[in-house]
Amino acid sequence: MSSAAGIAPWSDDQAESARMVRDSAAGFLDVARARALRGTMPGFSADAWREMGALGWIGLLVPEEAGGSGLSMVEMCALAEELGRGLAPEPLIPCVLSAMLLAEAGEREVLAQLLAGEAVVLTAWQDRANTLAVCTDAAATRRFVPMAAGATHVLLPVGDALHLVNARDCEITTEATHDGGHLGTLRPGAGRAIGRADVAAALDRAALATAAYLLGGMESGYAMTLAYLNTRQQFGKIIGTFQALQHKAVDTKLPIALTRAAVEEAAMDPTRAACSRAKARASEAAMIVGQNCVQLSGGIGYTDQYDVGLYLRKAMVLAPAFGGAALHRARFMDLTPETEDA
Amino acid sequence: MSSAAGIAPWSDDQAESARMVRDSAAGFLDVARARALRGTMPGFSADAWREMGALGWIGLLVPEEAGGSGLSMVEMCALAEELGRGLAPEPLIPCVLSAMLLAEAGEREVLAQLLAGEAVVLTAWQDRANTLAVCTDAAATRRFVPMAAGATHVLLPVGDALHLVNARDCEITTEATHDGGHLGTLRPGAGRAIGRADVAAALDRAALATAAYLLGGMESGYAMTLAYLNTRQQFGKIIGTFQALQHKAVDTKLPIALTRAAVEEAAMDPTRAACSRAKARASEAAMIVGQNCVQLSGGIGYTDQYDVGLYLRKAMVLAPAFGGAALHRARFMDLTPETEDA
Amino acid sequence: MNAITPIEPADLNALEDEAFRLHIRAWIEANYPAEIRNPPKRLHWEENKSWYFKLAEKGWLCPGWPREFGGLGLSPTKQIIFTEELERWGCARSNDHGIIMLGPLLIRYGSAEQQQHFLPKILSGEHIWCQGYSEPNSGSDLASLRTSAVLDGDEYVVNGQKIWTTLAQDANWIFLLVRTDPAAKKQEGISFLLVDMNTPGITVRPIINLEMHDEFCEVFFDNVRVPRANLVGQLNKGWDMAKALLSFERIYLGSPRQSAYALTRLRQLAERMGVWEDAVFGQEYARHRADLADLKSLYGRYVEVLKRGQPLGADVSQLKIIQSELFQRITETMMAIAAENAGLMEPMEGNRNLNPAGLYIQARPTSIYGGTNEIQRNIIAKNVLELP
Amino acid sequence: MNAITPIEPADLNALEDEAFRLHIRAWIEANYPAEIRNPPKRLHWEENKSWYFKLAEKGWLCPGWPREFGGLGLSPTKQIIFTEELERWGCARSNDHGIIMLGPLLIRYGSAEQQQHFLPKILSGEHIWCQGYSEPNSGSDLASLRTSAVLDGDEYVVNGQKIWTTLAQDANWIFLLVRTDPAAKKQEGISFLLVDMNTPGITVRPIINLEMHDEFCEVFFDNVRVPRANLVGQLNKGWDMAKALLSFERIYLGSPRQSAYALTRLRQLAERMGVWEDAVFGQEYARHRADLADLKSLYGRYVEVLKRGQPLGADVSQLKIIQSELFQRITETMMAIAAENAGLMEPMEGNRNLNPAGLYIQARPTSIYGGTNEIQRNIIAKNVLELP
């Protein structure tokens, strides 16, 4: 399949840098690895985590002087997209978020462990569902912390003030999620204040990276579906010859193209409005694309053994993560001045 | 085309009575008649109007003791549906509404002229767009009076109090509508109080009859479209063989089937909730069906000379008449208790 | 034993419809096991059999079968009321392929011996049936099926594979469509065969679906020997017999019950998530609500056809499309308002009424099974709209 | 005469992009006739020609043509800016088939004589062209066209009928696809012919469309004699030449301008109808708004392709589908909130910004013309998704 949808508005340097990051993710494209980790605790591989550290991914957005790779959202989105293709269960995006915050606050020791893939620092920023607002109550129970069972540390924003807590000092309960991972509910223990950071700005980037992860997942699930349409036979014909299925396939392609356009534009200039628009599109598109791919795959699409369903399950978990479509669309609307169209 | 969609929940007597009324409308099925009247003033035929009177249609819902036909909404909907097929421009539904109100208020003289098709009495009940509420200000300018240029009398509800005014005593301006008719804005002149009636209940029936008219229009436009799909050739094939067009045709059929189900159930027991649900469905479906029929008819569908467009134009005018889809859906919702589904 | 034994009229058909409804309702409410109301997944025999035996003991297992075969011989109208009452109370669908599919087929096409042998064993719960139609390469195009049955002496030798066989692991008998004439045109070489699942050569392998449930199975046949007497109807005429039973499935799949159940759950979820009073949610809910009410009206028109004892036309496929897509849309709204809870495997807070992902996943295959919605649209295009 | 004559650089290409944009913008704002901004319908030549001549006099009529043919020879990027500025100011599309379609085709495929004869007459406004491609039985399947041209001495004799010919009544020349080899396979017997509309035997009959506008015409050819010298390119190779120009049309039809224009009108209508602050309207508006912004992002990616001088792939058809369906959805929202005003033929209160029905009707054919959206989906399925 050609995935052409025009050309990203990136400079040649940006495109080259993104390509290199993509190439570095080649080892994480195998969905079988993600499948094998489903339902385990903590749900991801410690080896893979250290490798992600060694590849400089956890600190991808951390300035070089703080020990990071000093790259931009262009590379981050390219990477997240590849991880989405492989459905990598490691909490990379949540930890990239934590790394940005630790660096900004000036914390160095735990940051170094995190960047090396030796620590897992999760930012427990929300105290309820369906919000983009950072919790401002230090004592509040935090909800929906992804892969919480694997945390070594928890970063607790109270507004822009950051507290770092040892995970073993928190009371954490988990609930299994459809992608084989889990979400944690966390009663914070005592930690230490480590400074301040612009949490909301970092959350924008996490939302955008999640959009890119969803984009990669959509494309892979869609590619599987096209392959199925190209091989499955019924009524003596390849089913991809049936016009109704062709058109449904096209209608599944369109939201993917729009997602890529929104994500790659936002990656170049990650304003809050651009991040919100990209996440709104990706969250909505991932569900539609996942549903359509299951439908186009027929009975086999409804079996757990078939990978297409894994992409839908991942979308169910990540579409609302860091804010769902409605929240982000409303924020995009609030932030964008009316155009001057005549 | 088979228009099967199960069987209406009517008794045999009701079905037979509806069939007789339908048969009586056979002379009004010719769309060419409606086409010829477009843009004329008052936009309908005086002869046809008298004939409608002679057939007992204007007084269809008026009790026999008041000079009417004493029939029910079952027959009214059957009739309106046939008139919708022929796109009859005569203001039958607005005048059936007026006739009900005149009869209920005990007015006899103008009612007799109206029932005979010698008068045209229009009920000017609304003072603004997008409302189901009867105007309560006697002096308010009335809006959106259909075919106002043809009125001999105007019935002015002020709440449930009715005033009858000679049309020549009112200041009437008109705006042309897409169906070739017009809507009037009316500054009421002095009239006489003639009594009271349940205006809201009568409006429910007018809305339901309008839903039935739209249903007839949908079916006729759809039948034309199926005929086109069955004859037009491209790429050496009848275009109705293309699966994408077949499925779009099916998706156009489904809202028609739902409309028929809602309208005919409401006709049997025209509660306010049932009328609102039927009008909401019909208003929405008529636009969707009209659009799809134009699309399926390709270039020819976009020409004024082709009748399919006339059905869409009629839907544009009648979908909002007596309340559009959103208003009626909200009222249905308010009026219907939650079900006890387990 | 039944918890309540009201005075039972000799002929339930003699009751007024409303009295009949209340009679049925009272018995269901008194006898249905509370713990299996509205089960989130299709139940297995072990979970379900106590209800099966209650119905059997009461004589109500097969409301549609004629009385001479052990059924209740209910009129169409009363059969519909019976079903409505079961749905109203959220009764689980039992292991009913014998009751719904095979029984009526044997009554219509079976030999007297077959009727006498098999029907009582369905009524007693001794035989639990499953249906072997679909194959890996024969889904939408069922008539291309290839599982073969070759006569060898007085036995057919069956080889091949079935798939999507509902609850095969619970069944001890299976009815099969098999190819008995490989040379004939697709539909014309197919026969209908009854097979004891305990015959050597049969392997059942459950399929885990997206609900993580093993409702469907693959069933493999390796030189399975089946007595010739287990052929139902004429050789090579199995297709027509099986097809004659499908209109039941199409109206069953068009029943508003799934959407109605989901809509109630949507309301409960909206209240829990604090959006019940939200205007945007409100208009979306009102749309689902009106869609459901209109679906019920349309469904009622087909029920009316059945009540009058008339055959259902191909247009009944409309119901299946409308109901499955409405069910799906309702669950999509659930997912949107559930926000982060949308990813959870288990119901929220242990309250099984708050299970957005469960219902969302459950709604996915409704547009696939029972003939995909694409196939239904083909049927309507050809047979109702009469497009070429 | 132009209202303002700013200091014109010798080579507009030498300007920085942003300076170029402002230069163009200032001139447009100063010179474009206010009364024809954002016309609700396609303008006729009489309404439009003053603008045409202003552009011609300025030398800006043909920004994309090479300078040696009288164009501005702008780089792709600057051509795009030029177009964006015209769209921004709501400039009417002029009678531009000569400028956009025929000129580039002659520059690429025409003989030197044809170039020298015809191009200056386009630039001067002496020749106004229309395009004769579609026929009554050849719409989606254009290659089945049957209008014939038979050589008789030094002239082709043309017989047949064209339809959907935009503004044929304003044109004095028409370029035609005609069948010159009836025996060849569809695409292979088609030639490209230039015809003076004043030749005897040509009849133009306007078609009134749903907008009650005569934008499209039928054109009938009855033994119309055309000099052999008016054949462009090789005999029977007309199809390939015409097709090579279509990618322009596909990106043009995917431009967000219609949706952007409609969205602004939607806001104005919402304010007038008092629903601008309404939550339900608000989320629907936000959806259109985000859809438009994402469409703009996607459109920008194809513009980027052009800027780099690369050819557009078949996937550009995506834009046309997305833009036309968004434009339609926006106008459907307009109709819903306009309520009773939705039926009015003329703008509300004489304010042409409040014209829901007009825009709604205008949006209908966008999914039909330029290759129906069904055809676009076929193209994507085959050429992008590579389905069989």
Side-chain angles (χ1 to χ4, degrees):
Chain A
M1 176 198 88
S2 156
S3 70
I7 296 175
W10 295 347
S11 70
D12 289 348
D13 283 356
Q14 286 173 315
E16 172 61 14
S17 173
R19 194 190 57 70
M20 285 174 62
V21 170
R22 266 183 219 282
D23 289 350
S24 75
F28 291 89
L29 292 177
D30 183 10
V31 173
R33 185 185 78 88
R35 178 180 283 281
L37 287 163
R38 290 197 303 165
T40 62
M41 276 294 181
F44 58 91
S45 149
D47 288 346
W49 188 240
R50 271 188 296 272
E51 191 181 341
M52 290 180 175
L55 287 162
W57 293 353
I58 305 172
L60 193 134
L61 296 177
V62 170
E64 289 182 69
E65 58 272 25
S69 306
L71 295 174
S72 77
M73 284 306 292
V74 166
E75 293 85 1
M76 185 68 224
C77 286
L79 173 60
E81 196 186 314
E82 297 305 304
L83 296 181
R85 288 181 207 283
L87 292 172
E90 287 72 22
L92 184 77
I93 295 169
C95 286
V96 164
L97 166 68
S98 299
M100 278 191 284
L101 297 176
L102 290 172
E104 193 178 338
E107 210 289 340
R108 285 294 178 269
E109 191 187 323
V110 175
L111 176 61
Q113 294 169 30
L114 173 59
L115 296 196
E118 280 153 19
V120 173
V121 184
L122 297 175
T123 302
W125 60 276
Q126 66 185 134
D127 57 2
R128 59 186 187 278
N130 204 32
T131 184
L132 297 174
V134 178
C135 176
T136 53
D137 172 3
T141 297
R142 310 302 169 106
R143 300 291 319 276
F144 308 114
V145 181
M147 295 302 195
T152 57
H153 304 73
V154 175
L155 194 54
L156 286 172
V158 180
D160 284 349
L162 300 177
H163 298 256
L164 190 60
V165 193
N166 261 318
R168 62 175 173 271
D169 294 333
C170 299
E171 189 182 310
I172 298 176
T173 56
T174 64
E175 292 180 278
T177 48
H178 263 275
D179 59 351
H182 59 271
L183 292 171
T185 296
L186 182 147
R187 259 132 92 86
R192 59 186 171 98
I194 59 162
R196 304 183 76 83
D198 185 345
V199 180
L203 284 173
D204 293 344
R205 285 166 167 70
L208 176 57
T210 304
Y213 188 108
L214 286 167
L215 171 61
M218 282 182 238
E219 287 211 332
S220 286
Y222 185 62
M224 275 192 75
T225 304
L226 287 182
Y228 180 79
L229 292 176
N230 263 315
T231 48
R232 170 79 173 171
Q233 295 195 25
Q234 289 288 273
F235 304 105
K237 287 179 175 178
I238 302 280
I239 63 172
T241 60
F242 293 112
Q243 197 188 27
L245 299 187
Q246 290 184 348
H247 285 205
K248 195 171 181 79
V250 172
D251 289 337
T252 308
K253 170 77 176 160
L254 301 180
I256 300 176
L258 288 169
T259 304
R260 177 168 295 287
V263 165
E264 292 193 345
E265 187 174 295
M268 210 174 59
D269 184 13
T271 63
R272 177 157 296 169
C275 292
S276 273
R277 172 154 67 86
K279 182 58 164 58
R281 174 64 56 191
S283 290
E284 185 171 275
M287 296 296 280
I288 292 168
V289 170
Q291 288 163 197
N292 286 1
C293 288
V294 167
Q295 174 72 20
L296 286 166
S297 302
I300 189 84
Y302 192 61
T303 64
D304 183 64
Q305 74 191 48
Y306 196 63
D307 288 343
V308 154
L310 297 185
Y311 292 100
L312 177 59
R313 291 188 198 276
K314 183 59 85 178
M316 292 164 66
V317 178
L318 288 189
F322 300 107
L327 276 184
H328 278 292
R329 202 184 293 117
R331 192 166 72 166
F332 158 73
M333 184 69 189
D334 290 342
L335 292 173
T336 312
E338 285 299 313
T339 51
E340 51 155 341
D341 299 310
Chain B
M1 178 196 87
S2 154
S3 71
I7 296 175
W10 296 347
S11 71
D12 289 348
D13 282 357
Q14 287 174 313
E16 173 61 14
S17 174
R19 195 190 57 71
M20 287 174 62
V21 170
R22 266 182 218 282
D23 290 349
S24 75
F28 291 88
L29 291 177
D30 183 10
V31 172
R33 186 184 79 87
R35 178 181 281 281
L37 286 163
R38 290 197 302 164
T40 63
M41 275 296 180
F44 59 91
S45 151
D47 289 346
W49 187 240
R50 272 188 296 271
E51 190 181 342
M52 289 181 175
L55 287 163
W57 292 354
I58 304 172
L60 192 135
L61 295 177
V62 169
E64 290 182 67
E65 57 273 23
S69 307
L71 295 174
S72 77
M73 283 307 291
V74 166
E75 293 85 0
M76 184 68 223
C77 286
L79 173 60
E81 195 186 314
E82 297 304 305
L83 295 181
R85 288 181 206 283
L87 292 172
E90 287 72 23
L92 184 76
I93 295 169
C95 286
V96 163
L97 165 68
S98 298
M100 278 191 283
L101 296 176
L102 289 172
E104 192 177 339
E107 209 291 338
R108 286 293 177 270
E109 191 188 322
V110 173
L111 177 61
Q113 295 168 31
L114 173 61
L115 296 195
E118 282 154 17
V120 173
V121 184
L122 297 175
T123 302
W125 60 275
Q126 65 184 134
D127 58 1
R128 59 186 187 279
N130 205 34
T131 183
L132 296 174
V134 178
C135 177
T136 53
D137 173 3
T141 297
R142 311 300 169 107
R143 299 293 318 278
F144 308 114
V145 181
M147 295 302 194
T152 58
H153 305 72
V154 175
L155 195 54
L156 286 173
V158 180
D160 283 350
L162 300 177
H163 298 257
L164 190 61
V165 192
N166 259 317
R168 62 175 175 272
D169 295 332
C170 298
E171 190 184 310
I172 299 177
T173 56
T174 64
E175 292 179 279
T177 47
H178 263 275
D179 59 351
H182 60 270
L183 292 172
T185 297
L186 182 148
R187 261 133 90 86
R192 59 185 171 96
I194 59 162
R196 305 184 76 82
D198 186 345
V199 180
L203 285 173
D204 293 344
R205 285 166 166 70
L208 176 57
T210 304
Y213 187 109
L214 286 167
L215 171 61
M218 280 181 241
E219 287 210 333
S220 285
Y222 185 62
M224 274 192 76
T225 304
L226 287 182
Y228 180 79
L229 292 176
N230 263 315
T231 48
R232 169 80 173 170
Q233 295 196 23
Q234 289 287 272
F235 304 104
K237 287 180 174 176
I238 302 281
I239 64 172
T241 59
F242 292 111
Q243 196 187 27
L245 299 186
Q246 291 183 347
H247 284 205
K248 195 171 180 76
V250 172
D251 288 336
T252 308
K253 170 78 176 160
L254 301 179
I256 300 176
L258 288 169
T259 305
R260 178 167 296 286
V263 165
E264 294 193 345
E265 187 174 295
M268 210 175 60
D269 185 12
T271 63
R272 175 157 298 168
C275 291
S276 274
R277 173 155 68 86
K279 183 58 165 54
R281 175 64 57 190
S283 291
E284 185 170 276
M287 295 296 281
I288 292 168
V289 170
Q291 289 162 197
N292 286 1
C293 288
V294 167
Q295 175 72 20
L296 286 166
S297 302
I300 189 83
Y302 191 61
T303 63
D304 182 64
Q305 73 189 45
Y306 196 64
D307 287 344
V308 154
L310 297 185
Y311 292 101
L312 177 59
R313 290 188 197 277
K314 183 60 86 178
M316 291 163 66
V317 178
L318 289 190
F322 301 107
L327 277 182
H328 277 292
R329 201 183 295 118
R331 191 165 73 168
F332 159 71
M333 184 69 191
D334 289 343
L335 292 172
T336 312
E338 285 299 312
T339 51
E340 52 154 339
D341 300 308
Chain C
M1 210 186 74
N2 296 316
I4 296 181
T5 312
I7 298 154
E8 189 84 1
D11 180 5
L12 287 168
N13 271 322
L15 286 179
E16 293 286 329
D17 286 353
E18 205 45 35
F20 173 78
R21 184 186 293 281
L22 295 176
H23 183 75
I24 298 292
R25 179 177 297 180
W27 187 82
I28 290 172
E29 293 188 3
N31 288 280
Y32 190 78
E35 67 278 12
I36 56 170
R37 277 187 75 187
N38 288 311
K41 294 170 183 171
R42 188 80 190 258
L43 297 183
H44 281 297
W45 174 243
E46 279 305 315
E47 304 162 294
N48 202 27
K49 67 181 182 188
S50 71
W51 174 234
Y52 191 101
F53 287 129
K54 269 195 186 166
L55 283 166
E57 185 186 346
K58 178 74 174 170
W60 286 6
L61 191 60
C62 300
W65 292 14
R67 295 178 79 113
E68 63 266 37
F69 293 105
L72 265 173
L74 290 184
S75 70
T77 301
K78 289 207 165 54
Q79 282 183 54
I80 289 156
I81 292 171
F82 198 101
T83 303
E84 286 172 352
E85 288 304 311
L86 290 171
E87 293 184 352
R88 173 187 166 276
W89 198 242
C91 299
R93 190 173 170 185
S94 56
N95 299 57
D96 60 7
H97 279 98
I99 300 163
I100 288 172
M101 302 297 289
L102 184 65
L105 187 133
L106 285 181
I107 288 165
R108 185 150 159 202
Y109 300 103
S111 66
E113 293 74 21
Q114 287 169 337
Q115 291 169 348
Q116 284 156 23
H117 179 74
F118 288 108
L119 296 179
K121 293 185 188 338
I122 294 172
L123 288 163
S124 69
E126 182 182 342
H127 284 181
I128 300 301
W129 287 86
C130 62
Q131 167 186 299
Y133 284 8
S134 293
E135 299 184 6
N137 292 308
S138 305
S140 291
D141 182 17
L142 180 59
S144 69
L145 63 87
R146 288 187 294 196
T147 294
S148 64
V150 177
L151 197 60
D152 178 28
D154 240 16
E155 292 175 323
Y156 285 102
V157 181
V158 177
N159 279 287
Q161 181 193 347
K162 295 292 177 181
I163 196 169
W164 316 125
T165 309
T166 305
L167 299 181
Q169 66 274 68
D170 291 350
N172 47 22
W173 281 77
I174 185 169
F175 53 93
L176 289 181
L177 287 178
V178 289
R179 186 157 303 282
T180 37
D181 182 353
K185 278 209 308 184
K186 276 164 61 163
Q187 285 86 344
E188 291 161 19
I190 293 173
S191 300
F192 196 99
L193 205 57
L194 310 178
V195 182
D196 184 338
M197 297 279 279
N198 292 314
T199 320
I202 297 180
T203 311
V204 174
R205 188 187 300 163
I207 299 168
I208 305 299
N209 64 21
L210 289 188
E211 299 177 60
M212 300 309 258
H213 187 50
D214 58 352
E215 175 176 348
F216 305 114
C217 297
E218 295 177 287
V219 186
F220 300 86
F221 298 86
D222 179 16
N223 286 316
V224 175
R225 301 191 74 88
V226 180
R228 190 175 187 168
N230 288 10
L231 180 80
V232 181
Q234 285 182 273
L235 188 67
N236 296 329
K237 296 291 179 198
W239 181 257
D240 299 329
M241 292 191 302
K243 210 179 152 191
L245 287 176
L246 283 183
S247 80
F248 159 77
E249 185 163 48
R250 280 181 291 161
I251 192 169
Y252 180 80
L253 295 174
S255 158
R257 75 193 183 292
Q258 286 177 316
S259 294
Y261 176 79
L263 195 70
T264 304
R265 298 291 91 74
L266 175 59
R267 178 179 181 140
Q268 291 165 328
L269 182 68
E271 287 167 347
R272 172 64 189 83
M273 297 303 299
V275 298
W276 177 247
E277 302 288 337
D278 177 79
V280 174
F281 173 79
Q283 69 93 32
E284 202 165 330
Y285 184 84
R287 183 176 289 275
H288 296 321
R289 189 77 197 282
D291 286 350
L292 175 61
D294 289 348
L295 168 61
K296 283 182 176 173
S297 298
L298 186 61
Y299 181 73
R301 294 171 71 93
Y302 291 96
V303 168
E304 187 70 26
V305 174
L306 293 181
K307 283 183 182 168
R308 298 189 188 184
Q310 296 173 12
L312 290 167
D315 59 317
V316 73
S317 284
Q318 294 181 128
L319 284 179
K320 197 262 179 179
I321 298 173
I322 294 171
Q323 132 65 23
S324 58
E325 296 181 359
L326 173 57
F327 181 30
Q328 292 181 340
R329 285 197 304 276
I330 293 171
T331 65
E332 287 155 24
T333 301
M334 293 180 85
M335 292 295 273
I337 67 168
E340 285 85 348
N341 299 293
L344 300 179
M345 289 283 280
E346 298 297 326
M348 291 166 61
E349 300 155 15
N351 177 351
R352 61 187 233 194
N353 287 328
L354 304 176
N355 188 14
L359 270 178
Y360 172 79
I361 290 283
Q362 202 180 318
R364 293 309 106 199
T366 57
S367 51
I368 298 172
Y369 60 54
T372 67
N373 285 14
E374 286 80 16
I375 294 290
Q376 305 294 343
R377 286 184 166 86
N378 289 347
I379 291 170
I380 295 171
K382 300 276 180 198
N383 301 334
V384 182
L385 309 184
E386 295 172 9
L387 288 170
Chain D
M1 211 190 72
N2 296 317
I4 295 179
T5 312
I7 299 155
E8 190 82 3
D11 180 8
L12 288 169
N13 272 322
L15 287 178
E16 292 287 328
D17 286 353
E18 204 47 34
F20 172 79
R21 182 186 294 281
L22 294 175
H23 184 76
I24 299 293
R25 179 177 297 180
W27 188 83
I28 290 173
E29 293 188 3
N31 287 280
Y32 190 79
E35 66 278 12
I36 57 170
R37 277 187 75 189
N38 289 312
K41 294 169 183 173
R42 187 79 189 257
L43 297 183
H44 281 299
W45 175 242
E46 279 305 314
E47 304 163 294
N48 202 29
K49 67 181 179 187
S50 71
W51 174 234
Y52 191 100
F53 287 128
K54 268 196 188 164
L55 284 166
E57 185 186 343
K58 178 75 175 169
W60 286 5
L61 190 62
C62 301
W65 293 15
R67 297 178 78 115
E68 63 266 36
F69 293 106
L72 265 173
L74 291 184
S75 69
T77 301
K78 289 205 166 54
Q79 283 182 54
I80 289 155
I81 293 172
F82 199 101
T83 304
E84 285 171 352
E85 288 304 309
L86 290 170
E87 293 183 351
R88 173 186 166 277
W89 197 244
C91 300
R93 190 173 169 185
S94 56
N95 299 62
D96 60 7
H97 279 99
I99 300 164
I100 287 172
M101 302 297 289
L102 183 65
L105 186 132
L106 286 181
I107 288 166
R108 186 152 160 199
Y109 299 104
S111 66
E113 294 74 21
Q114 287 168 337
Q115 291 170 348
Q116 284 155 24
H117 180 74
F118 288 107
L119 297 180
K121 293 184 185 349
I122 294 172
L123 289 162
S124 70
E126 183 181 339
H127 284 181
I128 300 301
W129 287 88
C130 63
Q131 167 186 299
Y133 283 8
S134 294
E135 299 183 6
N137 291 309
S138 305
S140 290
D141 182 18
L142 180 59
S144 69
L145 60 89
R146 287 186 296 195
T147 294
S148 64
V150 178
L151 198 59
D152 179 28
D154 240 19
E155 292 175 326
Y156 285 104
V157 181
V158 178
N159 279 286
Q161 180 192 349
K162 295 293 177 178
I163 195 168
W164 316 126
T165 309
T166 304
L167 300 181
Q169 66 274 69
D170 292 350
N172 48 21
W173 281 79
I174 185 169
F175 53 91
L176 290 181
L177 288 178
V178 290
R179 187 157 302 282
T180 37
D181 182 355
K185 278 209 307 187
K186 275 164 64 163
Q187 285 85 344
E188 291 161 18
I190 292 173
S191 300
F192 196 98
L193 205 57
L194 311 178
V195 182
D196 184 340
M197 297 277 281
N198 292 312
T199 319
I202 297 181
T203 311
V204 174
R205 188 187 298 162
I207 300 167
I208 305 298
N209 65 22
L210 289 188
E211 299 177 62
M212 299 310 257
H213 187 50
D214 57 353
E215 176 176 348
F216 305 114
C217 298
E218 296 178 287
V219 186
F220 300 86
F221 298 85
D222 179 16
N223 286 316
V224 175
R225 301 190 74 87
V226 180
R228 188 174 186 169
N230 288 10
L231 180 80
V232 180
Q234 285 183 274
L235 188 69
N236 297 328
K237 296 293 180 199
W239 181 258
D240 299 328
M241 292 191 300
K243 207 179 154 192
L245 287 176
L246 283 182
S247 80
F248 160 78
E249 185 164 48
R250 280 181 292 161
I251 190 169
Y252 180 80
L253 295 173
S255 158
R257 74 192 183 292
Q258 287 177 316
S259 294
Y261 176 79
L263 194 69
T264 304
R265 299 291 91 74
L266 175 60
R267 178 180 180 139
Q268 290 166 329
L269 182 68
E271 286 167 347
R272 173 65 189 79
M273 297 303 300
V275 299
W276 176 249
E277 302 289 337
D278 177 79
V280 174
F281 173 79
Q283 68 93 32
E284 201 165 330
Y285 184 83
R287 183 177 288 275
H288 295 322
R289 189 76 197 284
D291 285 350
L292 175 61
D294 289 349
L295 168 61
K296 284 181 175 173
S297 298
L298 186 61
Y299 182 72
R301 296 171 69 93
Y302 291 96
V303 169
E304 188 70 26
V305 175
L306 293 181
K307 283 183 183 170
R308 299 190 188 184
Q310 296 174 12
L312 291 167
D315 58 316
V316 72
S317 285
Q318 294 182 128
L319 284 179
K320 198 262 181 179
I321 298 173
I322 294 171
Q323 133 65 21
S324 57
E325 296 180 359
L326 173 58
F327 180 30
Q328 292 180 338
R329 286 197 303 277
I330 293 171
T331 64
E332 287 155 24
T333 301
M334 293 180 85
M335 292 295 274
I337 66 168
E340 285 84 348
N341 299 293
L344 300 179
M345 288 283 279
E346 299 296 327
M348 290 165 63
E349 301 154 12
N351 178 350
R352 60 186 235 196
N353 287 327
L354 305 177
N355 188 14
L359 270 178
Y360 172 78
I361 289 284
Q362 203 180 317
R364 293 310 108 199
T366 58
S367 51
I368 298 173
Y369 60 53
T372 68
N373 286 13
E374 286 80 16
I375 293 291
Q376 306 294 344
R377 286 184 166 87
N378 288 348
I379 290 170
I380 296 172
K382 300 277 180 196
N383 300 333
V384 183
L385 309 184
E386 295 173 7
L387 289 170

